[in-house]
Amino acid sequence: MRPPLLAKSYDRKDFKQGPPDFALLTQHSRDVAAACRALADVIGPAALEAAALDAGELERFAMTLRLCGWMQDVGKANSDFQAMVHDQPQIEQLVRHETVSGFLIWLDPAIRRWLAPMEEVLLVATWGALGHHRKFDEQVGMNQGAALTVHAAHEDFATVLRDMAADLGLPAPPTFGSDFTIGRSKRNGADRAAGPMWQQMVDDFRDAEAAFKDEPARRFVALVKGFGIAADVAASAVARRGVTAALYSLPQFIARSLSTRLTCAELTGLIHRWAWRTYDGDAPVDLSQLPPGFGYRPFQEQVAASPSRLTLAEAGCGSGKSIAAYLWARAWCARREAAGASGFRLFFCLPTTGTSTEHFKDYALEADVPAELVHSRASVDLHTLATTADQEEEEDGGVRGDEPRRERAAPAQRALKAERDKIEAIALWDARVAVTTTDTVLGLMANARRALCALPAIVQSAIVFDEVHAFDDQLFGHLLVFLKNFPGVPVLLMTASLPEARRRALVEVRPDLHVVPGPSDLETHPRYHLVEVGGPEACWPEIGACLQGGGKVLWVRNRVEWANAIYRSARERFPGISVDVYHSRLRYRDRSRRHRRVIDRFKRAGAPALLVATQVAEMSLDLSADLLVTDEASVPALIQRLGRLNRRATPTAPGSPKRALIVRVAEEGDVLPYGDEEIEASRSWRSNLAQLGRALHQRDLSEQFASLASAHAIDYSAAEEAAVFLGVPERSGLWRTRPGSTRGAGYTVTVLLERDVAAHRRDHGGSVPAAAWLREHEVSIPIGQAVHRWRRVAGLPVAPEDAVVYDYDESTGEGTGARWRES
């Protein structure tokens, strides 16, 4: 009897009697198909509504998705793949198993005749199956090596086809009396030639693209592909945990996870909890109501009452945008409850880069988002890693902000990183409120693994994108494409300011955009005096005077090494005064401690404090300074930095305008991380503000920014082509599936410190670090050529002691973080 065909590898030490159900090709195929059916049943209506597709398409969508699920892994019934999952994990397959699936389904005459009743949905289902590991397009090719054998005569292959027929209502499937071989060509006796078959398949797909010029047709394809990937992940996760098919149910898991409902009562409790935390009166806490004297601002109520599915709240710092967002979410929750929606959740998205989640955690903390609503309540454990993932999973193809393309992890480490992404994405399926990174949602446009896995939750959600001004051109382009193609998803955009070119681009893709300006009394309250300064040395006298008077000083520098230098100098100049430095080169555990200390020191009335920070202060710190010193930067960055100056001033407690010292760069061209054009625009903006001849308010900043003629137009066609999830016929998307990039290239890479890894090994042996441990110990350093040569743990490079210095004193909490060791 021939050994069973496998879809996954398994640990033979744990399963000495033979492969468990989750590893079998027959059971995995059933599981993926069951997951596809359940997703269509539970989420199908919401997905079609989100993409503005006709509800009458539900039956076709469900059938296409189920066919896609059955087709995904039939190509694993080949000798190369089976060798890989049995005892040759590093084998180089002639072609990937997805391509073999395509050869069988699209080109085998007997199978194609059998599938004739499915002809209407076969093309899209095939595209979904070929792309379920995000690796099929013009780049797909053949490796060197011998011909592979397709085990078409194997009983397991016949079983998969019979199960497929029963589920889809097809006639009896064809049977194969013998296996057959596929080689690079037929020269060496192979039964079939991969090269001509691949070319025939791609030619057919290219010819078919003309029928998908309309956006709704492309949305349909994208949903099938995205849900097919999510179904495969869910099937693998649940089955691996359940081991035996009798002990798990994909439909039950999916129905339970994706029926999560955020209620109006929960959002009311969240808002009340925040209000009571800010209350300083004597009344006893009563979360059933707001504190005495607390009332919502008209601006916040206007955001909540927006009649459109797309709202832009453009208001300065301190205007109450966070509470406005939760009120807006509560209003949408009430509408969903009234409509009887089966599930509803809120995504609160903040702009961060790569794997760095510190900003959104900091923001959630300072915005008083309750921890029980922020954390992911994962019901699936994906930590057990299959060896097959070594070749099935890979890092996203585009350049990420924290990981340059050239720094490639080893296969097993790439696989573990893939599993971590899946853990976080599947956890979102039953999370009511997810405070997360913008990439978690907009990464969908780049076929990012985590976003694709989260798609079933995304289509059920209301989404807040905060700090939209901080999006680079690529990320903003993804936002535009998302908004145009998912018009049924309620979205709230929030920013202190937005260039007119970007506002026009929003209106062009979504004429239903509803804009809510910030509260006039707060936005026109005089807050700032801008002063141009020639260099850092000129700032010290004014800093000293402010500190001597018990004031708080925030100094923002554009580079970490500059911030560390100022920090060291300030400690020497002002002994006995609280001086801190805050940037991304600290481990999260240390940065979290530093964050709390900074906030506490700035809250102490009459106690002088100086904080030196980098750009992380623009979004991560809710504090109010009496004096701001800042390097010149882009206009959006300066507006955010000014939002930390005189932040608590209100018309009822006006105080006096505070000074902001703008330090010019020392040399032309020395403007990184900003571009020369951004700095020139910033200087024009400041010149225009100076001509007003008075103390400035927040509306001055945004109005002068909006009027800048240098703001470039947004090229939507380029953004659409880059959004490979949907794609453009003859260029991207549709039958092509590859990861794109979510953001422009960054300047840092996330690493682990050798000493931390060694300590973990001492305490836990050789076990893989848990996600929580990794979050605490990750640290960013500037990109260096040596990084790609370092060993990796859990997919992250480990910085050797002789390469990277980490300066932090656990007892005092002092230190400047990570830097390259000087040679």
Side-chain angles (χ1 to χ4, degrees):
M1 183 177 178
R2 302 172 76 177
L5 296 177
L6 300 183
K8 305 284 180 182
S9 66
Y10 64 96
D11 192 333
R12 284 156 176 77
K13 296 191 299 293
D14 295 335
F15 300 99
K16 297 179 181 179
Q17 302 304 313
D21 286 353
F22 70 77
L24 297 173
L25 179 61
T26 51
Q27 187 58 47
H28 180 66
S29 298
R30 296 179 191 121
D31 289 341
V32 174
C36 287
R37 179 192 288 270
L39 284 173
D41 290 344
V42 176
I43 301 298
L48 296 181
E49 180 185 2
L53 296 177
D54 192 321
E57 293 280 321
L58 181 58
E59 183 177 353
R60 185 167 73 96
F61 174 73
M63 185 60 71
T64 309
L65 184 59
R66 285 162 58 196
L67 179 57
C68 170
W70 279 111
M71 292 165 56
Q72 284 184 13
D73 289 327
V74 292
K76 288 183 176 179
N78 79 76
S79 56
D80 280 359
F81 186 89
Q82 293 304 308
M84 184 181 75
V85 295
H86 275 91
D87 54 10
Q88 299 178 52
Q90 301 306 321
I91 188 175
E92 191 172 57
Q93 302 175 81
L94 178 66
V95 290
R96 290 182 54 85
H97 79 265
E98 299 98 314
T99 303
V100 178
S101 294
F103 291 165
L104 291 170
I105 298 296
W106 192 254
L107 297 177
D108 184 271
I111 292 178
R112 189 65 184 268
R113 285 193 299 270
W114 170 57
L115 292 174
M118 310 292 292
E119 193 66 29
E120 182 185 358
V121 300
L122 182 61
L123 178 70
V124 175
T126 303
W127 288 354
L130 286 167
H132 82 287
H133 280 303
R134 307 175 304 146
K135 294 178 181 176
F136 189 85
D137 61 6
E138 293 93 337
Q139 299 176 39
V140 169
M142 291 175 289
N143 296 315
Q144 299 294 330
L148 60 81
T149 299
V150 175
H151 299 303
H154 197 292
E155 176 58 26
D156 288 353
F157 186 80
T159 298
V160 170
L161 296 188
R162 287 196 298 268
D163 289 349
M164 183 175 171
D167 184 50
L168 299 175
L170 292 167
T175 58
F176 294 83
S178 62
D179 298 340
F180 59 85
T181 57
I182 298 176
R184 291 178 60 85
S185 67
K186 292 185 177 181
R187 292 175 185 171
N188 295 320
D191 299 310
R192 305 185 187 186
M197 287 195 296
W198 183 89
Q199 192 61 57
Q200 178 63 56
M201 192 162 58
V202 168
D203 287 346
D204 289 348
F205 295 163
R206 285 173 173 157
D207 291 342
E209 286 186 86
F212 294 87
K213 291 182 179 179
D214 294 337
E215 288 174 341
R218 301 206 298 273
R219 293 173 194 167
F220 187 93
V221 174
L223 287 176
V224 169
K225 290 167 71 174
F227 274 66
I229 291 171
D232 182 42
V233 169
S236 299
V238 174
R240 184 172 291 278
R241 190 181 188 205
V243 180
T244 301
L247 299 180
Y248 63 85
S249 168
L250 266 300
Q252 288 181 9
F253 167 78
I254 289 171
R256 182 178 64 251
S257 297
L258 292 171
S259 294
T260 292
R261 182 191 294 275
L262 175 65
T263 67
C264 291
E266 287 172 324
L267 283 166
T268 297
L270 183 153
I271 296 166
H272 287 185
R273 190 177 291 110
W274 179 90
W276 279 102
R277 244 181 228 132
T278 61
Y279 174 67
D280 58 2
D282 299 325
V285 174
D286 180 2
L287 292 179
S288 68
Q289 60 184 350
L290 293 168
F294 184 96
Y296 300 126
R297 296 171 181 169
F299 158 74
Q300 294 168 328
E301 293 175 329
Q302 290 164 13
V303 171
S306 172
S308 177
R309 288 182 184 265
L310 179 61
T311 303
L312 170 63
E314 190 171 10
C317 298
S319 57
K321 292 196 294 292
S322 294
I323 290 302
Y326 288 112
L327 289 171
W328 171 86
R330 188 173 68 177
W332 275 105
C333 187
R335 295 172 190 170
R336 291 292 180 91
E337 287 181 355
S342 61
F344 176 73
R345 67 199 72 226
L346 174 66
F347 276 70
F348 201 117
C349 301
L350 293 154
T352 65
T353 55
T355 61
S356 177
T357 60
E358 294 95 333
H359 289 178
F360 88 82
K361 290 182 179 179
D362 291 346
Y363 190 93
L365 174 66
E366 294 309 311
D368 294 299
V369 178
E372 65 267 26
L373 290 180
V374 172
H375 81 279
S376 297
R377 296 178 300 280
S379 57
V380 174
D381 181 6
L382 286 174
H383 278 295
T384 305
L385 182 63
T387 306
T388 49
D390 291 0
Q391 293 195 16
E392 290 182 15
E393 301 295 355
E394 183 177 336
E395 292 295 339
D396 289 357
V399 176
R400 295 172 46 183
D402 67 346
E403 187 164 10
R405 179 75 178 268
R406 64 178 179 272
E407 292 171 4
R408 308 296 291 175
Q413 293 153 347
R414 292 200 303 270
L416 182 57
K417 174 62 177 65
E419 298 302 294
R420 289 178 57 200
D421 283 346
K422 294 172 186 176
I423 292 168
E424 295 175 4
I426 296 293
L428 293 175
W429 285 22
D430 67 352
R432 291 183 175 89
V433 175
V435 179
T436 185
T437 68
T438 302
D439 305 76
T440 298
V441 174
L442 294 186
L444 187 65
M445 297 297 99
N447 280 334
R449 180 191 301 109
R450 186 186 308 181
L452 287 166
C453 294
L455 179 60
I458 291 171
V459 297
Q460 283 189 315
S461 301
I463 303 175
V464 177
F465 291 110
D466 199 4
E467 312 289 4
V468 176
H469 68 274
F471 291 12
D472 65 19
D473 285 349
Q474 186 147 310
L475 193 60
F476 191 78
H478 284 334
L479 173 65
L480 292 175
V481 178
F482 178 86
L483 294 175
K484 188 171 186 181
N485 287 279
F486 288 93
V489 176
V491 173
L492 173 63
L493 309 175
M494 301 201 301
T495 183
S497 59
L498 197 67
E500 185 59 31
R502 290 194 168 189
R503 185 193 297 265
R504 287 196 302 270
L506 287 170
V507 173
E508 287 172 4
V509 300
R510 289 288 297 274
D512 62 326
L513 176 71
H514 180 73
V515 181
V516 181
S520 180
D521 58 343
L522 282 174
E523 299 233 316
T524 59
H525 178 69
R527 295 175 185 271
Y528 321 117
H529 286 296
L530 269 58
V531 180
E532 300 284 330
V533 180
E537 287 301 315
C539 302
W540 290 114
E542 194 158 345
I543 291 171
C546 182
L547 293 173
Q548 190 173 7
K552 307 296 191 294
V553 179
L554 171 62
W555 192 333
V556 184
R557 304 232 60 186
N558 292 343
R559 302 187 194 175
V560 171
E561 59 270 25
W562 295 354
N564 285 338
I566 291 296
Y567 164 72
R568 287 188 286 265
S569 180
R571 293 191 69 191
E572 294 177 359
R573 289 172 182 268
F574 307 115
I577 288 180
S578 298
V579 178
D580 287 294
V581 63
Y582 186 78
H583 49 61
S584 61
R585 305 289 168 77
L586 294 166
R587 295 179 301 183
Y588 178 70
R589 57 184 289 180
D590 303 330
R591 179 174 167 179
S592 185
R593 178 181 178 185
R594 183 75 53 84
H595 182 132
R596 177 47 50 194
R597 186 169 77 175
V598 166
I599 296 297
D600 290 345
R601 285 176 170 178
F602 267 67
K603 284 182 177 178
R604 293 174 192 159
L610 168 61
L611 171 63
V612 186
T614 57
Q615 294 91 330
V616 296
E618 295 169 16
M619 290 178 282
S620 298
L621 293 173
D622 181 11
L623 51 77
S624 181
D626 301 300
L627 173 65
L628 172 69
V629 183
T630 172
D631 294 338
E632 61 179 338
S634 68
V635 176
L638 287 180
I639 290 176
Q640 286 298 116
R641 296 176 191 187
L642 285 164
R644 272 66 190 163
L645 175 65
N646 206 13
R647 186 177 177 88
R648 312 294 184 216
T650 66
T652 56
S656 58
K658 306 296 184 182
R659 285 165 65 86
L661 310 184
I662 314 295
V663 182
R664 285 212 166 202
V665 295
E667 298 179 11
E668 292 298 323
D670 192 20
V671 297
L672 290 176
Y674 306 102
D676 291 331
E677 291 184 2
E678 289 179 297
I679 296 300
E680 286 303 315
S682 174
R683 290 173 180 173
S684 297
W685 174 73
R686 281 145 39 204
S687 176
N688 293 342
L689 290 171
Q691 292 177 25
L692 297 177
R694 55 171 170 77
L696 303 172
H697 49 64
Q698 290 177 336
R699 191 161 293 175
D700 290 329
L701 308 182
S702 59
E703 288 178 349
Q704 292 299 324
F705 183 32
S707 67
L708 280 179
S710 61
H712 61 273
I714 305 299
D715 185 348
Y716 181 78
S717 62
E720 190 176 39
E721 186 173 341
V724 292
F725 174 69
L726 292 143
V728 177
E730 301 180 6
R731 296 185 183 179
S732 66
L734 296 175
W735 62 272
R736 304 168 183 85
T737 309
R738 283 278 174 180
S741 80
T742 307
R743 300 174 184 266
Y747 302 96
T748 63
V749 59
T750 301
V751 303
L752 300 173
L753 302 175
E754 187 175 55
R755 68 188 192 189
D756 289 333
V757 173
H760 184 277
R761 189 183 302 110
R762 287 195 302 271
D763 295 339
H764 303 284
S767 63
V768 176
W773 186 92
L774 294 169
R775 289 282 182 258
E776 286 192 349
H777 292 84
E778 289 173 341
V779 62
S780 295
I781 62 169
I783 293 172
Q785 291 290 337
V787 175
H788 74 280
R789 296 192 297 270
W790 295 347
R791 70 185 181 94
R792 293 185 176 235
V793 169
L796 295 174
V798 178
E801 293 280 357
D802 61 358
V804 173
V805 177
Y806 188 72
D807 173 32
Y808 186 83
D809 189 317
E810 296 279 356
S811 61
T812 65
E814 302 293 342
T816 56
R819 62 176 173 81
W820 284 92
R821 189 180 295 276
E822 296 178 2
S823 56

